[in-house]
Amino acid sequence: MADVQMSSAPSARSQRPSGLRSMLYKSETARGYLLLSPALLVMVVGMLIPFTILIAMSFWTRDGFDFDTTMSMANYQTAMDVPIYNAFLARSFWISGITTVATVLLCYPMAYYVAFHVHRNKMLWIILMTLPFWTSYLLRVFSWKVILGYEGVINSGLLGLGLIDAPLEFLLYSQTAVIITLAHAWAAFAILPMYVSLEKIDRSLLEAAADLGDGPARRFFRITLPLSIPGVISATFLIFIPTTGDYITPALVGGPNSPMIGNLIQLQFGAVNNWPMGAALSVILTLWIAAVGLVFLFVTRKSQESVV
Amino acid sequence: MDVVDNLNAVRNGELSRRAFTRSLLAAGVGLMTAPLLPRRAMASNPDEATIFTWGGYDIADFYPSYIEKNGVPPNFSIFGGTEEALTKMRGGFVVDAAHPCNAGLKRWKQSGLFQPIDTSRLSNWGDVMPELVNMAENVDDQGTWMAPFDWGGTSITYRTDLFELEGEESWDMLWDQRYGGRLGSLGSGGDAWWCGAIKAGVPFKDIATDDAFERISAVMREQRPLIRLYSDDTTTLEQALASGEMVAAMTWNSSAVALQYDEVPVKFAKPKEGQLTWVCGIMLHKDAPNVDKAYEMIDAMLSPAAGQFMIGEYGYGHSNARAFDEFDDETLVGLGLSKNPADILGAGHFMIPQDQNWESRMNETFEMIKAGF
């Protein structure tokens, strides 16, 4: 704890009783940790300990009802060798990748509009945009079932207009349905960070660009877009990470071709009853997401540097 | 807190953003904790027996004599599947009794969480059908483990107006190329794999052999491209059948009963190869806190009154032979049941309880096939 000693300022009025209290008064680091302690406690109890158990369990193997607790790489070996795991992983990245791109592309204009073209009642606009998220996630998934269903809103509408003869079957119970539902479900998490970073952009930069002869398109690509990239990046992460592990949406609106790695993990902890394998798959998924995230971060940072 | 007032205040500029956020936070905390309040308010009555059961069995009509005696129904805790239930109980969840099915019996016994039932304490035991009591694994030198309660079949519910039958009703209906993309199936291997075994002609006693795995896998792979949806949710299958999105699906009897009740032209097939029959029943937890009440509860569930409700409303068979006396032959045949339940049970295929390794291997294999491997 060299930090503590270095940062503890000598005080002339240190007449207070010694002990914990005086240490707190003296040491900035200790004060910092004290302020952090509720969050740290939650992190350790709620995240660190379960994650350690998960990692330990992933090296065990299942033995009937019980676990064989001798350490082995068997689960990881299986995950490498059996093609289903990699295929599910690839499919999860594919589905959540498309979801992320679609969500960010659809939400950027909304965030842009509120940041630049709404001058009164901005708060109200933001609340209206997040209003659908005040209802339960399950309700929203089921409402998509109503919209996309065989006798749903879209199909009966198109049938009524005479545009199609038979209901479109690819709408529900397909990867399309999973992507649409996920994109809608996570829209608020894309709008808010992008709105914040668009809102922060200094308007005088845009005026300056206009004075120097840039048209609206060049202004957007040279100033607005690069300056809003932090918001886009956080939106991308906020959507990509949770949707990769999602399993409720594919279970409810997906068909035979849409289960994702989350469904497989859930099965290992449920019907298949192979917790160590489920733990290994969770760890693999975490590592993959971290790797993809780092690559993405690296690429965007490089491209940003080359722009600036 | 008045949300509308807050919105007005923001609009009129009377409320700062920070204050608004604070009231949003308050609303959020309120919403998050709201579910905790009623749960505490209706916290289960510790003096009554608790049953851990499937959704749909948590109504008073199944426990008539218990309510007569105690004034209130037992406490209910609900699971969605027996695996989930067993996992939760192995994690330390203690109830008086639980409601598994015969396919899981061996593993539930092996978990060491249950005690044999003292059948002399059940006044209705004498009327319980012996075919159900003597199912595989149930009675051993330690006693009777599960008091059979409900039974039924897994078969094909099909639209009589949309599905053109070729010859007899058969499991081939769910492998019919003409209706590719308009067939449905239950998603859990607990039903589908066994039906696959019937289709593949594998006798259930050989179901654990490698050869059986290969043959069943082959038929399941053949079926997979024809299936529109594997679902664990019977309502989804029922809705798809009602709308004509599917013309035939693997279901339990209750789906056909529910659809017929809504006047959808469906029939619950009696496949010539025989349907899959299952039996579920009540097992007593080894640390049951209210054992005496639990026996009262099981006795109530085995009574003819509970049975009549189950047959009439759910279309499932009941374990008490006297429960069938109230119904005429026509009604029972319409439900896929019979005055002489042994006929139905004899014509069907009873699942044979398997061990955990088989269960895991089967689920893994079936999941791979469903995923397209």
Side-chain angles (χ1 to χ4, degrees):
Chain A
M1 294 291 278
D3 282 1
V4 180
Q5 266 146 29
M6 268 161 59
S7 56
S8 57
S11 165
R13 287 181 296 160
S14 59
Q15 302 297 327
R16 294 182 179 279
S18 60
L20 193 65
R21 214 168 155 189
S22 71
M23 193 186 94
L24 281 178
Y25 274 103
K26 280 181 203 156
S27 158
E28 243 175 74
T29 320
R31 275 207 304 268
Y33 277 114
L34 188 74
L35 276 173
L36 271 177
S37 59
L40 276 179
L41 191 75
V42 170
M43 287 292 278
V44 170
V45 174
M47 302 278 298
L48 203 63
I49 295 176
F51 197 66
T52 317
I53 296 173
L54 192 79
I55 291 175
M57 190 185 274
S58 72
F59 292 105
W60 298 350
T61 40
R62 182 183 59 86
D63 180 21
F65 263 133
D66 298 311
F67 303 132
D68 178 356
T69 52
T70 42
M71 293 286 170
S72 96
M73 293 293 286
N75 294 323
Y76 291 94
Q77 193 62 42
T78 317
M80 298 268 278
D81 294 344
V82 182
I84 184 175
Y85 301 112
N86 286 321
F88 268 55
L89 208 54
R91 182 191 288 161
S92 302
F93 282 126
W94 168 249
I95 289 180
S96 69
I98 295 185
T99 305
T100 310
V101 172
T103 317
V104 169
L105 285 181
L106 286 173
C107 293
Y108 193 91
M110 291 201 252
Y112 183 90
Y113 181 77
V114 179
F116 285 95
H117 296 285
V118 175
H119 301 292
R120 301 182 53 201
N121 303 330
K122 271 196 188 191
M123 200 64 197
L124 198 70
W125 275 79
I126 293 289
I127 291 169
L128 283 178
M129 279 179 173
T130 54
L131 208 56
F133 307 96
W134 294 22
T135 57
S136 149
Y137 181 58
L138 282 177
L139 279 180
R140 275 179 278 138
V141 175
F142 275 105
S143 60
W144 275 109
K145 277 182 104 157
V146 172
I147 295 169
L148 300 172
Y150 188 78
E151 286 185 328
V153 178
I154 294 181
N155 272 330
S156 35
L158 291 176
L159 276 172
L161 290 171
L163 292 173
I164 50 172
D165 299 326
L168 301 172
E169 293 195 346
F170 68 87
L171 284 177
L172 192 57
Y173 305 132
S174 61
Q175 291 190 7
T176 326
V178 177
I179 291 168
I180 293 174
T181 310
L182 282 176
H184 174 243
W186 291 91
F189 295 88
I191 293 177
L192 293 177
M194 291 195 294
Y195 165 75
V196 169
S197 66
L198 284 165
E199 174 74 21
K200 275 194 313 199
I201 293 174
D202 188 349
R203 307 301 140 107
S204 55
L205 290 173
L206 293 169
E207 285 167 23
D211 287 347
L212 295 169
D214 269 359
R218 277 174 75 87
R219 274 210 308 268
F220 175 77
F221 284 109
R222 294 184 60 186
I223 295 166
T224 316
L225 186 61
L227 287 177
S228 65
I229 283 291
V232 175
I233 291 175
S234 46
T236 308
F237 275 107
L238 274 177
I239 299 165
F240 185 75
I241 294 172
T243 53
T244 315
D246 191 274
Y247 71 97
I248 301 167
T249 315
L252 289 175
V253 299
N257 277 321
S258 17
M260 291 160 67
I261 190 82
N263 301 76
L264 209 56
I265 295 174
Q266 190 246 343
L267 272 174
Q268 303 292 332
F269 285 99
V272 174
N273 216 331
N274 190 349
W275 290 25
M277 189 69 214
L281 288 175
S282 308
V283 172
I284 293 173
L285 177 64
T286 313
L287 292 176
W288 266 106
I289 290 180
V292 172
L294 283 175
V295 168
F296 178 75
L297 210 59
F298 181 75
V299 169
T300 44
R301 187 155 296 168
K302 276 279 167 225
S303 66
Q304 232 182 332
E305 276 165 15
S306 66
V307 168
V308 181
Chain B
M1 191 194 67
D2 191 340
V3 174
V4 181
D5 234 332
N6 260 327
L7 285 177
N8 273 326
V10 172
R11 212 171 291 145
N12 303 333
E14 288 163 8
L15 190 64
S16 74
R17 269 189 205 174
R18 185 169 292 180
F20 184 80
T21 321
R22 197 158 53 222
S23 46
L24 271 189
L25 175 77
V29 170
L31 278 175
M32 291 296 290
T33 48
L36 299 174
L37 302 176
R39 197 179 301 160
R40 197 175 307 148
M42 35 183 234
S44 58
N45 186 341
D47 296 332
E48 302 300 330
T50 301
I51 180 155
F52 195 23
T53 183
W54 301 81
Y57 291 88
D58 49 342
I59 44 175
D61 306 73
F62 284 122
Y63 312 90
S65 61
Y66 185 94
I67 295 174
E68 222 167 83
K69 201 161 180 186
N70 299 296
V72 285
N75 302 315
F76 302 115
S77 182
I78 303 299
F79 58 71
T82 51
E83 282 308 319
E84 170 200 330
L86 188 57
T87 309
K88 189 166 171 183
M89 291 173 80
R90 285 179 60 217
F93 183 58
V94 176
V95 291
D96 292 294
H99 188 176
C101 296
N102 61 319
L105 194 49
K106 189 170 180 175
R107 285 174 300 121
W108 281 58
K109 265 164 65 182
Q110 280 169 352
S111 70
L113 287 170
F114 301 93
Q115 55 173 310
I117 293 172
D118 178 2
T119 54
S120 65
R121 298 182 65 175
L122 301 169
S123 67
N124 287 308
W125 188 255
D127 295 320
V128 174
M129 292 186 266
E131 293 90 344
L132 298 178
V133 176
N134 295 323
M135 64 189 143
E137 303 280 342
N138 195 29
V139 183
D140 59 21
D141 47 2
Q142 287 174 275
T144 306
W145 290 89
M146 183 166 107
F149 174 49
D150 49 337
W151 57 273
T154 306
S155 179
I156 307 143
T157 299
Y158 67 101
R159 286 282 294 258
T160 48
D161 53 338
L162 298 176
F163 195 100
E164 204 184 309
L165 206 56
E166 286 180 329
E168 272 182 278
E169 289 172 344
S170 147
W171 281 104
D172 296 338
M173 292 164 74
L174 284 182
W175 273 261
D176 194 325
Q177 298 286 343
R178 293 176 300 164
Y179 299 106
R182 299 185 73 190
L183 303 170
S185 173
L186 290 166
S188 96
D191 285 290
W193 192 260
W194 294 88
C195 293
I198 300 176
K199 158 82 180 165
V202 174
F204 282 6
K205 63 178 170 47
D206 299 332
I207 202 160
T209 60
D210 287 340
D211 176 55
F213 265 101
E214 247 163 63
R215 282 165 64 193
I216 300 170
S217 299
V219 297
M220 298 319 266
R221 275 200 193 95
E222 185 192 333
Q223 183 191 37
R224 196 247 179 206
L226 308 173
I227 296 290
R228 172 142 175 82
L229 180 68
Y230 292 98
S231 176
D232 286 326
D233 168 24
T234 50
T235 315
T236 304
L237 293 175
E238 284 160 23
Q239 283 170 351
L241 282 166
S243 68
E245 183 177 5
M246 285 178 196
V247 296
M250 174 193 299
T251 68
W252 300 313
N253 350 22
S254 59
S255 293
V257 174
L259 287 168
Q260 281 163 354
Y261 191 78
D262 287 337
E263 292 173 357
V264 180
V266 293
K267 211 175 151 203
F268 191 60
K270 289 190 189 63
K272 60 175 191 248
E273 304 90 341
Q275 54 172 256
L276 177 71
T277 34
W278 47 262
V279 185
C280 300
I282 312 303
M283 286 178 86
L284 207 53
H285 197 283
K286 71 171 164 48
D287 302 321
N290 293 308
V291 173
D292 297 336
K293 294 256 176 136
Y295 273 107
E296 281 175 25
M297 176 182 71
I298 297 173
D299 205 29
M301 296 170 84
L302 298 181
S303 68
Q308 281 155 21
F309 177 78
M310 179 139 68
I311 297 167
E313 300 295 320
Y314 282 48
Y316 290 138
H318 188 254
S319 58
N320 191 317
R322 276 169 51 212
F324 290 82
D325 293 346
E326 288 287 307
F327 298 89
D328 58 48
D329 281 322
E330 203 184 330
T331 316
L332 290 176
V333 170
L335 293 170
L337 300 172
S338 153
K339 274 268 192 210
N340 192 358
D343 291 349
I344 301 279
L345 293 170
H349 298 267
F350 248 119
M351 293 186 204
I352 300 172
Q354 302 291 328
D355 62 17
Q356 184 58 48
N357 285 330
W358 182 87
E359 199 72 21
S360 293
R361 181 177 172 193
M362 180 275 285
N363 275 305
E364 259 163 20
T365 318
F366 186 47
E367 289 310 323
M368 294 238 262
I369 292 170
K370 282 202 288 182
F373 288 90

